[in-house]
Each structure stands twice: as structure tokens, then as C-alpha cells.
Amino acid sequence: MKQKSTAFSLLLSSLLLITATGWIALPPAGLTWNVGTPAPKVQRYLYVVTPGVRNYLGYGGHGIQVFDIDNNHRFVKFIKTGGFSKDGKPSNVKGVDVSLATNCLYISTLEALQCIDLTTEKILWEKQYEGGVDRISISPDGQTIYMPSLEKEFWTVVDAKTGTVIKKIVTNSGAHNTIYGPDGNYVYLAGLKSTMLNVADAKTHTVIKKVGPFGADIRPFTINGAQTLVYVNVNGLLGFEVGNLVSGKFLHRVVVEGFNIGEVKRHGCPSHGIGMTPDEKEIWLCDGANNRLHVFDNTVMPPVQKTSILLKDMPGWITFSLDGKYAYPSTGDVIDVKTRKIIASLEDQQHNDVQSEKMVEIHFAGNRAVAAGDQFGLGQVKHSAKN
């Protein structure tokens, strides 16, 4: 009985100590706050980088347009960026990604990569690289960037903190789109001059596997969270193809029904842009000629066409909010995923339309980034895969 009484006294003393000091265990991302003081509210913003449709300044000017996701995607602020060509004009933005480790946003343009501190909103560095820069991807730990040259023979691997070159990976495939796998072990390298998807080992920075061949040269693509399936746009197809990332084999060709292939204003292929809802239940596909998004049921294989959504302009890219509630095509339309309804349109501070194929969701606690989405519409169901 005495032992129980002593244990109870110790427990009570511990609770009183916690109450008196007011500190609890460290919250995520190394942030600390006092129990008596409310934790900083997490703010969810959509960072839209422009010019994100070629070099067209009429779709948002030159810089970053920031929107409040929880306030009907209303304009919050404009952030100036670098990224100028030799003639002094703003260069095409090619990609955007976030490192929580460095608390930085990275923007690739035709010539260079720039690193912007998310707290101060200042450019920390901007460097030009051999062969130019296309759509980048950052490792899940935020330390490493895979940077495709501009449709040339190689990818460059760089340190996210300094921009220092670590290694060059030669694929001779017309380097273009890049996805760092969610487990950080593999990087998927799609060249627009090849029907094969290269898979690199993220430790050795060497190509260890190829997936395909697909029906034509690969354009935008996305993968599921388990890294077992890849969904690719290819030249000449209004639709998409599916490959097995484990076996390396081509699986399915899915064609959009009820719509004709027509002329597109940009990119030269009928479907340029494909994304997967975070729960992986649906595939959303861009249709440039018909100004539509086509939605497919991804709970069956091959995926089955369900419905289509008319947009205000030609879509050239598609991604989703982290919670899966919103779809973000490059047209600036904001779509409620559940109802398929367009519920907002991105507008700058002068109420002009903002459109971009380069956008990413960032969450802040206080003045520091604590979570970030991706620009590719990746699946988020990370059950184990056998590779």
C-alpha cells in the first residue's frame, strides 16, 4: 500500500511540475512553444510562379503570386524574383519546388536556378548551369536537387543548400521532367526524346533501371506513393499510358473517349499534364484542344473514364492540394475535387487572371515552412512496395 502511495505522489509531482513549467515535448519540425501560449496557427498558401506559361507576362507578370487557400484562394502578396535572360527580360519559369530543410523555395528558369528564403523572401543565390535548367525535383529530406538540363543529354545533381554540383547523369534522352520518389531512394527521369523512363538510384546517382517502352516520347508523368506505377503523357495521344515501375514493363494505353484530338496552342501534344488525387482513387488528365480535364477512376486497372470538366483556357498542367480537396490546373481555375465545380479563379491584386504551370502549396507555422505539396500530383498512399 505504501508503494502505491509513493508512486501516486511521484506521478502527482510530475504533473504539477509540467503545469508549473508549461513546456511539453517538442512539436514537429523542431518548433517549440509554451503551453500557456497558443501554438502558431498553420497558414496554407498556394505559391504560383510566373511567367509560368512560356514567357507570357499577361498571366501574372514576373514573380510569385501568393494565395490564401483557406480564404477562398484570395490574393495575399506578390514576391519579386530573379530569372532574367541575357536581354534583361524575364525568362520562362520551368519548375518550382520546396526544401523544408533549408526553408527555401527553388525556381528553375531556362538559364538558371534560384534559391529564395521563405522567411525573408530574399534571393540567397542564383546560379547558371551548363545546358540550362528544366523542371527540378528535390529529395524528401530537402538536401538534394535533381536538375534536368534544358532538353539536352544529362541531369545535374546539386546540393540544395549551396547549389554546388555533386554529379552529372548522362541519359541522352532530352532531359525534361523529374520526380524524386517519396521514399527518397529513387529518382524518375523523363526525357522528351525517349520512349523509356530512366530510374536513378538516389544514393549513387546512377541509372539502374528503365521503364517502357511507351507508345511515343514521354511528356508529363506522375507516380503512385508506393512507387509501383507510373502514368505518362506521350506525344500524339489524347489519354495516357501506364507502366510498372517494379518490373519495368508497359501495362496499358488509355484513350479519352468522346472527344477529338485537335490543335493545341502549346506543347505540341494533346494531353500535356496528368495528376493523381492524393488518395490515388482518381487520375485527372489535361486536354489542351478541348480545354478540359478528364477524370478517370483509378480504383480499377486500366483506369476508366468518369467525367470531364470544362475550363476557361487550355490546361497544360494539373496538381492537387495536400488534403486532396482542390485541383489546380494551370488555367488558374480552382476546382472542388468532390463536386467537380470551379469554386474560385486565381487573380492578382489588380484582379487580373493568374495562370501558371508552376505552382506549389506551402504551409507556415509562424514564419517558417512546415509542410509543402508537390508540383506533379503524386499519389500519397505509401504502402510498401517490393523493388
Side-chain angles (χ1 to χ4, degrees):
M1 190 69 182
K2 187 176 180 181
Q3 273 187 323
K4 289 183 179 180
S5 177
T6 303
F8 177 80
S9 299
L10 287 171
L11 178 60
L12 182 60
S13 299
S14 299
L15 290 171
L16 289 171
L17 179 62
I18 291 172
T19 304
T21 59
W23 289 95
I24 57 173
L26 291 176
L31 300 174
T32 61
W33 52 78
N34 192 284
V35 169
T37 304
K41 179 183 177 182
V42 174
Q43 302 285 342
R44 303 192 303 159
Y45 296 122
L46 184 65
Y47 276 55
V48 181
V49 188
T50 58
V53 179
R54 290 185 175 169
N55 62 346
Y56 301 158
L57 297 179
Y59 289 134
H62 177 218
I64 305 170
Q65 306 278 355
V66 181
F67 300 91
D68 187 342
I69 293 174
D70 294 317
N71 189 20
N72 200 33
H73 292 83
R74 290 185 179 177
F75 174 83
V76 174
K77 59 185 173 180
F78 176 81
I79 302 171
K80 292 183 179 180
T81 60
F84 293 91
S85 57
K86 290 181 180 180
D87 60 8
K89 295 180 180 179
S91 185
N92 303 36
V93 172
K94 300 299 291 183
V96 60
D97 210 345
V98 177
S99 167
L100 299 180
T102 64
N103 193 51
C104 289
L105 181 79
Y106 297 82
I107 300 172
S108 57
T109 59
L110 294 173
E111 303 86 4
L113 180 67
Q114 55 188 299
C115 172
I116 300 173
D117 186 284
L118 283 167
T119 300
T120 66
E121 299 177 353
K122 303 296 184 183
I123 298 174
L124 299 183
W125 51 262
E126 183 173 8
K127 298 183 179 182
Q128 294 193 357
Y129 293 87
E130 177 190 357
V133 190
D134 216 312
R135 196 177 286 264
I136 59 172
S137 189
I138 297 178
S139 59
D141 65 9
Q143 304 291 344
T144 308
I145 301 174
Y146 265 60
M147 185 176 66
S149 57
L150 196 63
E151 302 173 18
K152 293 182 173 60
E153 300 82 10
F154 59 91
W155 268 258
T156 304
V157 185
V158 301
D159 182 281
K161 186 175 183 179
T162 64
T164 303
V165 174
I166 297 171
K167 190 173 182 180
K168 179 191 290 186
I169 304 173
V170 178
T171 62
N172 295 310
S173 61
H176 193 41
N177 290 311
T178 316
I179 293 177
Y180 225 113
D183 65 3
N185 294 325
Y186 305 100
V187 192
Y188 304 94
L189 316 176
L192 51 67
K193 299 177 183 177
S194 175
T195 62
M196 302 294 292
L197 177 71
N198 287 287
V199 182
D201 183 299
K203 290 187 178 68
T204 62
H205 306 307
T206 56
V207 174
I208 58 169
K209 184 187 297 186
K210 293 179 184 289
V211 182
F214 294 97
D217 293 342
I218 300 172
R219 305 305 297 272
F221 70 105
T222 190
I223 63 173
N224 65 344
Q227 297 173 237
T228 57
L229 294 171
V230 60
Y231 302 75
V232 305
N233 294 145
V234 298
N235 282 335
L237 174 63
L238 180 55
F240 59 94
E241 295 184 341
V242 186
N244 188 308
L245 291 174
V246 180
S247 68
K249 294 181 178 179
F250 169 89
L251 296 178
H252 304 287
R253 182 178 176 91
V254 181
V255 179
V256 171
E257 299 177 353
F259 292 85
N260 295 322
I261 296 177
E263 294 294 325
V264 293
K265 292 185 288 186
R266 296 178 293 273
H267 299 300
C269 60
S271 290
H272 188 280
I274 185 169
M276 185 184 305
T277 53
D279 63 9
E280 303 190 359
K281 292 182 178 180
E282 292 180 343
I283 298 293
W284 288 45
L285 176 77
C286 291
D287 178 347
N290 297 295
N291 289 359
R292 279 175 167 81
L293 289 171
H294 302 296
V295 181
F296 291 78
D297 180 358
N298 192 46
T299 64
V300 294
M301 191 58 64
V304 174
Q305 189 172 338
K306 295 173 68 174
T307 190
S308 298
I309 303 167
L310 180 63
L311 305 175
K312 64 186 176 186
D313 204 344
M314 171 190 158
W317 204 264
I318 174 72
T319 189
F320 297 90
S321 59
L322 275 166
D323 61 8
K325 185 176 180 179
Y326 304 113
Y328 299 122
S330 59
T331 57
D333 296 300
V334 179
I335 303 170
D336 184 296
V337 169
K338 185 176 181 179
T339 66
R340 321 294 196 201
K341 301 295 183 183
I342 295 174
I343 51 101
S345 182
L346 301 180
E347 296 181 349
D348 65 15
Q349 55 191 331
Q350 283 84 37
H351 303 290
N352 300 310
D353 281 350
V354 174
Q355 298 189 31
S356 180
E357 297 173 359
K358 292 86 187 183
M359 63 179 78
V360 64
E361 178 180 352
I362 309 176
H363 297 182
F364 288 85
N367 62 359
R368 189 173 180 86
V370 295
D374 70 84
Q375 56 186 321
F376 288 98
L378 303 179
Q380 299 298 322
V381 182
K382 298 181 178 67
H383 51 80
S384 60
K386 296 179 180 179
N387 284 317

